[in-house]
Amino acid sequence: TDYIYLPSEDYFMDRILIVDDDEAICAAVKQLLCRQYRILDCRDAETALALLKTEQIDLFLLDVNLPSQNGFLLCEEIRKYSR
């Protein structure tokens, strides 16, 4: 029998939030990074801002063409929380 080792959440030091309305892009990036980081993802700016209030996020990967808000504007909002 093969066993898959899945470390606990505490093992992951850095958390990355992917904000992109394209599920295929989110899935590809998650697959690349999930072994080394805790990955969160969402499809819109509003959800990203809500997660920012409840989660410690170390890195944001933002789509600049989000459906509800420009990614650059979201970046400005995020910076308000990081200061």
Side-chain angles (χ1 to χ4, degrees), residues 20-79:
D20 197 312
D21 58 323
D22 187 327
E23 288 191 38
I25 290 174
C26 283
V29 174
K30 284 171 74 170
Q31 185 176 6
L32 289 170
L33 300 175
C34 70
R35 292 181 186 256
Q36 297 163 344
Y37 305 98
R38 180 167 178 229
I39 306 296
L40 303 167
D41 67 305
C42 63
R43 304 291 172 263
D44 57 60
E46 293 79 16
T47 306
L49 290 172
L51 282 169
L52 180 60
K53 294 176 184 176
T54 61
E55 297 283 341
Q56 164 89 29
I57 306 297
D58 298 298
L59 177 69
F60 291 86
L61 299 177
L62 305 176
D63 180 1
V64 296
N65 293 315
L66 294 169
S68 61
Q69 184 178 4
N70 176 308
F72 294 113
L73 295 175
L74 175 57
C75 186
E76 289 177 14
E77 289 293 316
I78 290 168
R79 288 191 52 107

Side-chain angles (χ1 to χ4, degrees), residues 1-7 35:
T1 304
D2 292 325
Y3 292 97
I4 298 173
Y5 172 70
L6 296 174
R35 292 181 186 256

